[in-house]
Amino acid sequence: PAADRLLVGLLRSDRDPAVRAAAIFAAGFRDLAPLVDGLAETAEADPVESVRTDTVTLLARYANTSPRVTRALAYAADNDPKANVRQIARAALDRGR
């Protein structure tokens, strides 16, 4: 649990995009449930495209496993400013149907 709290804290507040990207990478090796809210927030609002891309790619592996993951992917598919992020999210949602 402490590691999960640390990862979510890094996603939410670390200023360095490389640190946030490393937290996303580490999250890929953990149970996603305790991390979903932090990952969803990152997918929806991180200012750095590569961080959002990494987050949406991770969430895509878990599409339709929880309503929060589905909402985050739907938000990214409809609202991300970058086409590639929207495409990753849309493909994940389409696979889950």
Side-chain angles (χ1 to χ4, degrees):
D4 294 333
R5 286 190 299 276
L6 173 65
L7 291 173
V8 170
L10 292 171
L11 291 172
R12 287 180 171 153
S13 63
D14 198 286
R15 292 182 172 193
D16 187 342
V19 171
R20 296 192 308 277
I24 295 160
F25 178 78
F29 295 97
R30 304 197 51 80
D31 175 24
L32 202 68
L35 306 171
V36 167
D37 286 333
L39 289 166
E41 292 166 12
T42 302
E44 294 167 354
D46 198 276
V48 177
E49 176 186 357
S50 62
V51 173
R52 291 191 319 276
T53 301
D54 290 350
T55 307
V56 169
T57 300
L58 175 59
L59 290 174
R61 293 182 4 208
Y62 298 92
N64 299 315
T65 60
S66 82
R68 186 64 176 113
V69 170
T70 302
R71 283 193 312 272
L73 290 171
Y75 182 88
D78 292 339
N79 298 294
D80 198 273
K82 297 296 183 175
N84 67 314
V85 178
R86 292 191 308 268
Q87 290 170 347
I88 294 166
R90 177 60 48 210
L93 291 168
D94 289 345
R95 279 192 308 272
R97 288 186 182 161

